[in-house]
Amino acid sequence: GQNIDQPTEMTATEGAIVQINCTYQTSGFNGLFWYQQHAGEAPTFLSYNVLDGLEEKGRFSSFLSRSKGYSYLLLKELQMKDSASYLCAVNPGNTGKLIFGQGTTLQVKP
Amino acid sequence: ETGVTQTPRHLVMGMTNKKSLKCEQHLGHNAMYWYKQSAKKPLELMFVYSLEERVENNSVPSRFSPECPNSSHLFLHLHTLQPEDSALYLCASSQDLGGGANVLTFGAGSRLTVL
């Protein structure tokens, strides 16, 4: 079957660093995505990894290990506006039909 | 307008009603999707259209009926729904259907409540 696991909730402090993990077991692998979704808003694209390693984009970085079926999203210098749900999704093939995890709700506290 | 626009943002309907959700994208994308988002559950893919042809129907009950009249518009027609169908319905589009880096652009969703 297809399965993507991520923690349901996380809490962190403003200015700190937080790592959101995602593990996956899928029939195939053609890339992993991270999306951010603020309450009541559209999910927005954050990052895409298809090769092993770290991709950095400003305060956000995403890491992939294909052999371990594992990814994480690293958020540095947390800001209050980073409070949101973070969705991990895998493209198992070549059809663009993503499989999503349930999302991790991050609460940033002052 | 830019991006993906969904209307209405909120909808309350009885089980015997018929209503429709509308999605419009101004990105020139060729693929459009309907996803269902329920609390504490992963996004569930419902329907996929590529160049106005339906290419995926993920075992969705027939009380949900999609329509894609052109590459910019997507509808989800609803009739005789059940309370468990209450959820956020998200529309998305992407440049094409294939390829690994197939980034989805989502609308803000239509929050549906079935009484």
Side-chain angles (χ1 to χ4, degrees):
Chain A
Q2 318 269 43
N3 193 48
I4 297 179
D5 285 317
Q6 44 180 138
T8 305
E9 295 177 344
M10 297 183 73
T11 303
T13 305
E14 191 176 16
I17 299 173
V18 71
Q19 177 175 311
I20 302 174
N21 296 324
C22 172
T23 57
Y24 63 89
Q25 291 176 303
T26 54
S27 56
F29 182 81
N30 200 10
L32 185 143
F33 297 79
W34 285 95
Y35 285 83
Q36 180 191 58
Q37 185 178 22
H38 285 101
E41 297 183 15
T44 56
F45 170 74
L46 286 178
S47 67
Y48 171 72
N49 295 68
V50 67
L51 300 177
D52 289 352
L54 189 68
E55 296 276 345
E56 296 186 74
K57 259 190 205 178
R59 293 189 300 113
F60 291 9
S61 303
S62 55
F63 172 83
L64 175 67
S65 169
R66 287 172 298 171
S67 62
K68 294 182 179 177
Y70 168 69
S71 172
Y72 67 73
L73 181 69
L74 193 70
L75 291 73
K76 301 176 187 175
E77 301 169 18
L78 279 173
Q79 301 175 8
M80 298 300 290
K81 67 178 182 179
D82 297 329
S83 293
S85 286
Y86 292 85
L87 311 178
C88 174
V90 170
N91 185 357
N94 205 34
T95 62
K97 299 170 194 174
L98 303 188
I99 302 169
F100 282 83
Q102 66 179 16
T104 299
T105 299
L106 173 67
Q107 184 179 16
V108 179
K109 294 186 173 179
Chain B
E1 283 203 57
T2 59
V4 179
T5 304
Q6 290 188 242
T7 54
R9 292 294 310 275
H10 300 273
L11 178 63
V12 179
M13 58 188 288
M15 291 194 287
T16 58
N17 291 159
K18 286 185 181 182
K19 298 285 185 184
S20 296
L21 307 180
K22 179 183 176 183
C23 175
E24 186 173 0
Q25 58 100 357
H26 305 270
L27 300 167
H29 287 169
N30 294 318
M32 296 187 77
Y33 311 74
W34 280 116
Y35 279 89
K36 177 182 179 182
Q37 187 174 37
S38 304
K40 307 298 183 188
K41 286 187 174 181
L43 265 69
E44 298 172 48
L45 179 63
M46 300 175 72
F47 299 104
V48 181
Y49 278 82
S50 177
L51 296 171
E52 301 147 49
E53 283 194 30
R54 188 192 306 181
V55 297
E56 178 82 14
N57 174 359
N58 252 9
S59 303
V60 178
S62 59
R63 56 186 184 269
F64 294 92
S65 174
E67 179 189 1
C68 188
N70 55 61
S71 60
S72 298
H73 293 85
L74 186 65
F75 294 89
L76 188 62
H77 303 299
L78 316 169
H79 62 98
T80 58
L81 294 190
Q82 305 297 312
E84 60 265 28
D85 297 323
S86 298
L88 182 68
Y89 289 85
L90 289 166
C91 174
S93 69
S94 64
Q95 185 61 57
D96 295 293
L97 198 57
N102 192 38
V103 177
L104 299 178
T105 301
F106 285 90
S110 294
R111 171 70 63 186
L112 173 67
T113 303
V114 181
L115 301 176

